[in-house]
Amino acid sequence: MSAPDIDTQVLVVGAGPVGLMLAGELALGGADVVVLERRTGPLTESRASTLHARTMELLDQRGLLEELGTPPAGGPGHFGGTRLDLTTDSPYSGQWKVPQVRTEELLEGWATRLGARVVKGHRLTDLRTAPHTVEATAEAEPGSGGAASTLRVRAAYVVGCDGESSTVRELAGFAFPGRDATRELLRADVADVQVPDRRFERHPGGLAISARGPGGVTRVMVHEYGAPVGREPGPPSFARVADTWRRVTGDDIGGGAPLWLNSFGDALRQASQYRRGRILLAGDAAHHQMPVGGQALNLGLQDAANLGWKLAAEVRGTAGPGLLDSYHAERHPAGRRVLDNIAAQALLLLGGSGTEQVRSLFGELLREPRVRAHLAGTIAGVDVRYAAEPGAHRLVGARVPYLRFGTGADTAEGPGSSFAALWPGRGVLVDLGGRPTPVLAAVAPWRDGRVDVVAATPEPGGAAPEFTSALLRPDGHVAWADGTVPELEAALRRWFGPAARR
């Protein structure tokens, strides 16, 4: 390959929410990053619009919620079509409606302010690995203006965030085991129709969902029991959607104006590896699942939050042994758990009359507080807990609880909460003891831009803290809490590399 047009440390392929979130995390961590996107402009269709509690927490932990504003609440949740209260211990309980185009706009603005470069209008066509680099070739898409017809990029690492039909995954030879769809839900945004709102309305012949949104546009979704999965290329025709809707509900929407057509099935696949050398996968490129209740987008954003700081440390040369491999070790089982959850929901949602007894029993179980809380935590993403050493504090591996800090002398100019302490994207040692301790002395060799120290007091009248001192990873998960100093030093070495020389 001749001299590349672009030289960078990390090439992210795909400028959807996951790719842009990852780009921001990498840039925040000090990495040089380029994002390659085949689209030439923003989305023109709805796509994913539900943000769950953990995603809102991640946005808060990067200081992005003020820019986003307060999105409208998304109403009650569900599990496989059965109503589910999504109340959790998060300050952002429930679900929030944010159009994907707005999420992308928010994340792209953040990433580019931090220095990430987004190159649009190019489609990846080739990847070649060398001992210390990956060389990528991309071709300009029609309508990309004056963009070069062929673009060559050399990077230390490449991350595929390019969706369920990932070109990165295919070119790099990742195994993607699982099963194809056997059931399908047709979806359309339609103007100029008058149909009643339906929430998971089950009919003898199928399932119907409809809701009138802003601007008088109605979204309809319909599944016909026993119908074969469509094999036509691209989205379904409006005639097919309207005919299926009529057979299931008896209503005629054929006179409406279709604005967007789409379908999704219950296919279930997961990459057997999330990393192959210098090439990694995140989001739908790593796992393909039915987008029930908005979980797919939120799962992918958590992938990006987990990977970004680790890969940035790797390219900066500050990562300890095995840090980058911990991405697969943590996110693959987390993804598998969500995929199993979604598979159960798909069966309840799209199963025919043979599932009614199971649905009835499930409705009874959801009235049990512990069952409800368990499923709400899974869907909201707040129950993710990474592996911890035996005997560690119960918070280790879990996300940090939200704590507001008081306004004493130590915090007058510091962060106002445990979430705000994470805005810089570094590790944080939060000390609530209010005085120098051996714990603070132990962290000193990592206070070279890798780990900050926040000495704070909890806000009076707030929730009682569950720790006195805690080490937080940049993704908001607890690495150590109230243990011994040797245990703290081991956690610092594991997550933030060797101690700096004094």
Side-chain angles (χ1 to χ4, degrees):
M1 177 181 267
S2 58
D5 299 288
I6 297 176
D7 232 324
T8 187
Q9 290 177 314
V10 182
L11 173 64
V12 176
V13 181
V18 175
L20 293 170
M21 180 82 175
L22 178 61
E25 292 291 315
L26 287 162
L28 188 64
D32 184 68
V33 56
V34 170
V35 183
L36 188 69
E37 170 57 48
R38 64 184 304 172
R39 285 183 284 139
T40 57
L43 287 171
T44 57
E45 65 270 2
S46 310
R47 296 197 183 180
S49 61
T50 299
L51 301 184
H52 286 299
R54 182 57 185 151
T55 297
M56 294 290 285
E57 290 182 356
L58 292 173
L59 295 177
D60 190 352
Q61 289 167 9
R62 292 299 179 258
L64 293 171
L65 284 190
E66 183 175 352
E67 183 179 349
L68 178 64
T70 303
H78 73 94
F79 189 93
T82 299
R83 188 181 180 112
L84 175 65
D85 176 4
L86 291 177
T87 300
T88 66
D89 64 349
S90 171
Y92 305 107
S93 263
Q95 53 186 349
W96 307 87
K97 303 304 289 185
V98 181
Q100 184 170 327
V101 65
R102 176 65 184 119
T103 302
E104 291 185 4
E105 179 185 56
L106 174 75
L107 294 174
E108 183 173 349
W110 173 60
T112 54
R113 288 194 301 272
L114 290 168
R117 293 172 284 169
V118 180
V119 179
K120 296 185 178 181
H122 284 82
R123 174 175 53 88
L124 181 71
T125 57
D126 189 45
L127 282 177
R128 299 186 183 183
T129 57
H132 303 292
T133 59
V134 182
E135 297 176 337
T137 303
E139 301 296 333
E141 290 281 73
S144 55
S149 59
T150 301
L151 182 69
R152 289 176 287 271
V153 184
R154 181 171 59 203
Y157 290 89
V158 172
V159 187
C161 299
D162 49 343
E164 61 190 51
S165 301
S166 170
T167 302
V168 172
R169 187 183 65 231
E170 180 180 349
L171 290 175
F174 283 82
F176 200 47
R179 59 173 172 77
D180 293 331
T182 59
R183 301 180 182 89
E184 183 179 37
L185 196 65
L186 306 179
R187 179 165 54 171
D189 286 348
V190 188
D192 304 324
V193 294
Q194 295 290 334
V195 295
D197 283 359
R198 294 178 166 92
R199 180 175 171 81
F200 304 109
E201 192 173 274
R202 296 177 71 81
H203 295 257
L207 173 77
I209 305 164
S210 57
R212 192 173 180 84
V217 175
T218 299
R219 170 162 292 185
V220 299
M221 291 187 277
V222 61
H223 168 69
E224 186 173 15
Y225 301 142
V229 175
R231 299 300 179 192
E232 69 266 30
S237 67
F238 183 54
R240 182 178 168 219
V241 176
D243 287 347
T244 305
W245 184 264
R246 177 181 48 77
R247 287 194 300 271
V248 170
T249 69
D251 292 343
D252 184 6
I253 61 171
L259 304 178
W260 178 55
L261 296 159
N262 178 254
S263 67
F264 54 86
D266 60 349
L268 205 68
R269 293 187 177 277
Q270 184 180 28
S272 55
Q273 299 169 279
Y274 283 14
R275 178 190 179 194
R276 294 194 69 191
R278 294 184 173 272
I279 303 177
L280 302 99
L281 303 175
D284 285 350
H287 38 77
H288 178 199
Q289 59 285 308
M290 189 174 181
V292 177
Q295 284 180 265
L297 170 62
N298 294 270
L299 179 63
L301 291 172
Q302 290 185 57
D303 290 345
N306 184 286
L307 175 59
W309 65 278
K310 296 174 180 178
L311 186 51
E314 186 73 25
V315 299
R316 289 199 325 267
T318 61
L323 179 65
L324 191 53
D325 285 331
S326 74
Y327 168 62
H328 169 88
E330 292 185 335
R331 292 308 299 165
H332 191 276
R336 182 73 255 168
R337 185 165 178 258
V338 172
L339 263 61
D340 289 345
N341 172 287
I342 289 175
Q345 290 198 64
L347 181 61
L348 289 170
L349 187 66
L350 304 182
S353 59
T355 63
E356 292 305 324
Q357 292 85 354
V358 177
R359 291 176 57 81
S360 177
L361 176 61
F362 204 84
E364 293 179 22
L365 291 174
L366 285 182
R367 290 194 286 271
E368 293 292 327
R370 290 181 62 185
V371 174
R372 185 214 63 78
H374 173 79
L375 292 178
T378 300
I379 290 174
V382 299
D383 71 337
V384 174
R385 181 182 296 272
Y386 300 133
E389 294 295 326
H393 191 285
R394 71 174 197 84
L395 285 179
V396 175
R399 75 197 214 289
V400 62
Y402 180 78
L403 285 175
R404 288 202 60 81
F405 298 152
T407 55
D410 287 342
T411 60
E413 298 181 359
S417 72
S418 54
F419 286 8
L422 292 160
W423 286 6
R426 297 187 284 269
V428 181
L429 190 285
V430 177
D431 177 67
L432 303 179
R435 61 186 182 279
T437 66
V439 165
L440 299 182
V443 79
W446 285 268
R447 296 185 67 179
D448 56 358
R450 289 177 288 173
V451 178
D452 297 331
V453 171
V454 172
T457 56
E459 184 179 58
E466 300 179 59
F467 60 85
T468 300
S469 297
L471 176 66
L472 312 184
R473 304 178 350 175
D475 58 1
H477 283 260
V478 178
W480 170 91
D482 290 344
T484 66
V485 168
E487 289 169 343
L488 171 60
E489 291 171 336
L492 286 161
R493 287 191 296 270
R494 178 183 181 188
W495 298 113
F496 302 103
R501 293 181 180 179
R502 304 190 185 189

